Amino acid sequence: QVQLVESGGGLVQPGGSLRLSCAASGSIFSIRAMGWYRQAPGKERELGALITSGGSTNYADSVKGRFTISRDNAKNTVYLQMNSVKPEDTAFYYCVLNEQGSIYWGQGTQVTISS
């Protein structure tokens, strides 16, 4: 089994910054990709950002230029640096991991953008 533990959520004012972290542990042999999805109240879960084992990244159009995903392979940890945040970034953010084709989800962390 694989466990994902997210941290870094909270309340931030519009225009501010926040960094999310997700550490993976357990039966990890070959991670294909890690990333973040988010779900706002009343909306479907959507992609935020993904990073592959080779370092390729994929971002939702709504966060391009503002969010940066990175990964520490030695620590099996993925980060999401969120800059210039907007009220519409308010959501529950879920870490996701693709381990040899098996998908694992974290419990999520709440991010609220409000003045």
Side-chain angles (χ1 to χ4, degrees), residues 52-100:
T52 69
S53 58
S56 297
T57 56
N58 185 27
Y59 294 94
D61 288 342
S62 57
V63 307
K64 281 181 182 177
R66 300 187 299 119
F67 291 9
T68 301
I69 190 169
S70 61
R71 183 174 154 185
D72 185 332
N73 291 332
K75 296 181 179 180
N76 289 329
T77 299
V78 66
Y79 306 96
L80 186 67
Q81 180 66 43
M82 305 167 60
N83 297 331
S84 302
V85 294
K86 306 175 181 180
E88 49 264 44
D89 293 321
T90 294
F92 221 72
Y93 283 71
Y94 295 91
C95 179
V96 62
L97 179 149
N98 180 332
E99 210 284 322
Q100 299 187 92

Side-chain angles (χ1 to χ4, degrees), residues 26-69:
S27 300
I28 298 172
F29 300 99
S30 179
I31 296 176
R32 293 182 182 175
M34 294 184 73
W36 297 90
Y37 277 67
R38 64 185 187 179
Q39 187 168 17
K43 296 187 176 181
E44 294 186 354
R45 192 174 297 189
E46 64 177 10
L47 169 69
L50 286 173
I51 185 167
T52 69
S53 58
S56 297
T57 56
N58 185 27
Y59 294 94
D61 288 342
S62 57
V63 307
K64 281 181 182 177
R66 300 187 299 119
F67 291 9
T68 301
I69 190 169

